[in-house]
Amino acid sequence: MRSDAELMRAARQDPAAFREVYDRYAESVYGFALRRTGDPDAAHDLTAETFAQAWLVRRRFRDRAGGLAGPWLFGIARNVIAQSVRRRRIELAACEKLGMLERLDEPRATAEPTESWLDDALDELPDGERRALELRFVDDLAYDQVAAELATTPGAARVRVARGLGRLRERIGDEREAL
């Protein structure tokens, strides 16, 4: 049986070798992510992202653990989890500033008339931006899922969300000035 280090060297040219490393570590990486998030869905996403990142940087693997790839993979997983937490904090902070956290989950029929400006602002957004915001914050989808729903790339989905939030931020500024 080949060592992880041998498989990682072979994985530079042979995807099947990387698959063997995946098979050896996927369950452990999932458990690692699950213990840190407490959310099985998030743990699956983070595990997938960890291995996607590992695949992309597989040529950088250096055997520093006696032939084992585990420490390298768990380092990547730690970074993926930290990035995810940072992104989520930024998104939540933006939504909080916009007053969207409660409002996006609330049916429009029950919205108070004094807060109708947010409904109006959402309605004024271009369809792609409004839909991206709904998918990201109401449906709580990851950017790759938002991209799939919008038939675009994850990067384009992030841009639509960012632009939508920017337009809403401008509208909040306008509403504050009107008061």
Side-chain angles (χ1 to χ4, degrees), residues 79-141:
N79 290 336
V80 165
I81 291 167
Q83 289 170 355
S84 174
V85 168
R86 277 192 298 275
R87 273 194 311 266
R88 187 71 177 155
R89 275 192 200 134
I90 290 168
E91 291 166 357
L92 287 173
C95 284
E96 201 170 274
K97 284 179 187 175
L98 294 169
M100 287 177 58
L101 289 178
E102 313 81 30
R103 299 282 300 123
L104 285 176
D105 284 332
E106 185 177 300
R108 290 190 177 201
T110 64
E112 295 188 21
T114 58
E115 295 180 357
S116 66
W117 68 268
L118 183 55
D119 291 333
D120 294 341
L122 287 168
D123 287 339
E124 291 171 8
L125 290 175
D127 290 342
E129 291 174 14
R130 184 182 63 251
R131 184 72 181 128
L133 288 173
E134 290 170 350
L135 291 168
R136 182 70 188 111
F137 299 112
V138 176
D139 298 340
D140 198 30
L141 298 181

Side-chain angles (χ1 to χ4, degrees), residues 49-60:
E49 182 64 24
T50 296
F51 281 97
Q53 290 296 318
W55 171 256
L56 292 173
V57 299
R58 67 191 182 280
R59 294 184 188 285
R60 292 189 210 157

